[in-house]
């Protein structure tokens, strides 16, 4: 999953605009290339922090980021892609030289020391059609790793503390020298003994066995915005699994599954429905009580309405996620031809046809059947 912007700026997910601005200014002074002698790792970190700040400073982009992640929040042409090669050049050096330049690659940000952020988690939520259109609050429950309360997430028995790793001396990294076609190369990788944390647990916590976390059931309230569609994914920052021994929390991704509606079909932000009316109402006009998702409305069918005609009820469709109004409800009228007519009804229709000069089948259905059979 993508890097957490709040974690990059070292602020909480509920930080105010001023707190975000102060955090960025502090980090920008520390990481600016001019202040670090052209250090590649600092420059990459500076770019990431700037991208995070540009996203979170804009209320609308921050809202989209909180809901759907960095891809949805990206503004056109924004971001730092590293030029025509993107990040692929750094990956190429990593493949051939195994991090021989000390920071993973000459273009990379280096190994992340200290406790690692916990993994992201996923859960699926079922919604009704109406809930997806109008939005809803839903409670989700899941079992996930959370910080151990006995050792406060350190992994060490209460009254003790972690010690520096004997393998890496507390650096979290190990260095290996090997020969290549370019001469001796020094590769750097996370310490396998402490998993890059730089610490060992001499006396593990009995509750979590030195891991600093335990698996428990947690419940969260998910604010589903109006207008989501089937397959949409919401992102709850910091609601995923906690990292080992003091690592931060990952994110929780909520995948939405929207049920179908017995009448309405969704096409983008518009809804489509089909209404059947008798030929008399289509010919003479009528006012029909029509049920929308917002309640009953008066649908006016003008005299002479033809089968297939579409009526548009503006603003009765699906809300736009960005708050730009709602789509429309398109109602297609289908005119039904009457069947199983009584003798009196047939006579009325025959007189009506005669008045209009229209030819119809004879009243003697047996004669009509003989005529029809002759053409088979």
């Amino acid at each position: 999953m993508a890097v957490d912007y709040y974690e990059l700026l070292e602020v909480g997910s509920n930080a105010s605009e001023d707190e975000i601005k102060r955090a960025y200014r502090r980090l920008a002074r520390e990481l600016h290339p001019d202040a670090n002698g052209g250090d590649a790792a600092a420059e990459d970190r500076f770019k990431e922090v700037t991208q995070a700040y540009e996203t979170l400073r804009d209320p609308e982009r921050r809202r989209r980021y909180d809901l759907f992640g960095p891809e949805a929040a990206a503004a056109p042409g924004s971001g730092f892609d590293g030029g025509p090669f993107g990040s692929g050049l750094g990956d190429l050096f990593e493949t051939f030289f195994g991090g021989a330049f000390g920071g993973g690659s000459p273009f990379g940000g280096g190994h992340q020391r200290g406790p690692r952020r916990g993994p992201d988690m996923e859960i699926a939520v079922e919604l009704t059609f109406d809930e997806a259109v109008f939005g809803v609050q839903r409670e989700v429950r899941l079992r996930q790793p959370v910080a151990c309360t006995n050792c406060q997430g350190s992994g060490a028995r209460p009254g003790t503390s972690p010690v520096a790793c004997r393998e890496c001396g507390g650096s979290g990294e190990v260095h290996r020298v090997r020969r290549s076609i370019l001469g001796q190369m020094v590769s750097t990788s996370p310490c396998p003994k402490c998993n890059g944390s730089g610490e060992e647990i001499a006396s593990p916590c009995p509750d979590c066995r030195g891991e600093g976390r335990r698996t428990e059931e947690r419940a969260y309230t998910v604010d589903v915005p109006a207008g989501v569609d089937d397959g949409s994914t919401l992102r709850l920052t910091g609601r995923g699994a906690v990292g080992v021994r003091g690592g931060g929390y990952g994110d929780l991704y909520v995948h939405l599954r929207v049920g179908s509606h017995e009448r309405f079909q969704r096409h983008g932000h518009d809804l489509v429905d089909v209404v059947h009316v008798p030929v008399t109402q289509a010919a003479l006009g009528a006012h029909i009580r029509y049920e929308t998702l917002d309640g009953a409305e008066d649908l006016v069918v003008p005299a002479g309405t033809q089968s297939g005609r579409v009526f548009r009820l503006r603003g009765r469709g699906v809300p736009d996620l960005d708050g730009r109004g709602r789509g429309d409800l398109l109602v297609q009228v289908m005119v039904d031809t009457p069947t199983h007519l009584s003798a009196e009804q047939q006579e009325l229709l025959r007189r009506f046809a005669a008045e209009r000069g229209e030819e119809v089948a004879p009243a003697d259905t047996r004669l009509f059947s003989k005529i029809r059979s002759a053409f088979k």
Side-chain angles (χ1 to χ4, degrees), residues 223-309:
D223 289 313
V224 180
V228 296
D229 203 351
D230 183 58
S232 299
T233 298
L234 305 180
R235 176 174 176 264
L236 302 186
T237 304
R239 298 300 175 92
V242 72
V244 176
R245 295 202 294 269
Y249 281 85
D251 298 332
L252 175 61
Y253 288 81
V254 183
H255 304 294
L256 304 179
R257 304 288 180 262
V258 180
S260 59
H261 195 276
E262 60 182 4
R263 288 172 45 216
F264 299 115
Q265 297 290 327
R266 178 170 176 174
H267 295 269
H269 293 123
D270 292 335
L271 296 177
V272 177
D273 187 21
V274 176
V275 171
H276 291 261
V277 299
V279 67
T280 50
Q281 290 183 335
L284 302 175
H287 287 248
I288 300 174
R289 180 180 173 84
Y290 179 75
E291 288 289 340
T292 72
L293 291 178
D294 298 88
E297 294 196 16
D298 185 30
L299 178 64
V300 179
V301 178
T305 294
Q306 301 299 306
S307 188
R309 180 174 177 178

Side-chain angles (χ1 to χ4, degrees), residues 93-326:
F93 271 80
E94 175 68 24
T95 300
F96 280 99
F97 303 119
F101 292 86
S105 77
F107 306 95
H111 163 62
Q112 178 184 350
R113 301 181 184 180
R116 296 191 177 189
R117 174 178 176 266
D120 297 325
M121 300 187 71
E122 298 176 297
I123 190 172
V125 171
E126 303 285 339
L127 299 177
T128 66
F129 192 89
D130 290 44
E131 288 173 339
V133 171
F134 295 112
V136 69
Q137 282 191 334
R138 293 291 294 274
E139 182 181 79
V140 297
R141 291 182 174 272
L142 69 161
R143 292 185 61 79
Q144 64 180 145
V146 298
C148 175
T149 55
N150 187 47
C151 65
Q152 303 302 314
S154 69
R157 183 185 294 271
T160 67
S161 300
V163 297
C165 174
R166 290 166 291 177
E167 180 77 15
C168 63
S171 68
E173 299 175 335
V174 291
H175 306 279
R176 294 181 175 84
V177 180
R178 58 179 174 174
R179 294 185 179 277
S180 72
I181 58 175
L182 300 180
Q184 280 193 340
M185 309 297 292
V186 179
S187 64
T188 303
S189 59
C191 174
K193 187 174 183 63
C194 65
N195 293 320
S197 68
E199 296 180 335
E200 284 187 74
I201 305 297
S203 181
C205 169
D207 284 8
C208 63
R209 300 180 181 179
E211 194 172 284
R213 59 183 187 175
R214 301 173 58 184
T215 299
E216 297 180 1
E217 183 177 274
R218 288 291 174 91
Y220 301 111
T221 299
V222 181
D223 289 313
V224 180
V228 296
D229 203 351
D230 183 58
S232 299
T233 298
L234 305 180
R235 176 174 176 264
L236 302 186
T237 304
R239 298 300 175 92
V242 72
V244 176
R245 295 202 294 269
Y249 281 85
D251 298 332
L252 175 61
Y253 288 81
V254 183
H255 304 294
L256 304 179
R257 304 288 180 262
V258 180
S260 59
H261 195 276
E262 60 182 4
R263 288 172 45 216
F264 299 115
Q265 297 290 327
R266 178 170 176 174
H267 295 269
H269 293 123
D270 292 335
L271 296 177
V272 177
D273 187 21
V274 176
V275 171
H276 291 261
V277 299
V279 67
T280 50
Q281 290 183 335
L284 302 175
H287 287 248
I288 300 174
R289 180 180 173 84
Y290 179 75
E291 288 289 340
T292 72
L293 291 178
D294 298 88
E297 294 196 16
D298 185 30
L299 178 64
V300 179
V301 178
T305 294
Q306 301 299 306
S307 188
R309 180 174 177 178
V310 176
F311 296 90
R312 182 182 296 270
L313 303 183
R314 299 192 179 278
R316 291 295 181 263
V318 180
D320 187 277
L321 281 171
D322 292 330
R324 300 172 184 171
R326 293 175 61 176

Side-chain angles (χ1 to χ4, degrees), residues 1-8 48 65 70 117 235 251:
M1 295 295 183
V3 177
D4 184 89
Y5 285 172
Y6 294 104
E7 190 173 297
L8 276 175
E48 291 178 340
Y65 172 79
R117 174 178 176 266
R235 176 174 176 264
D251 298 332

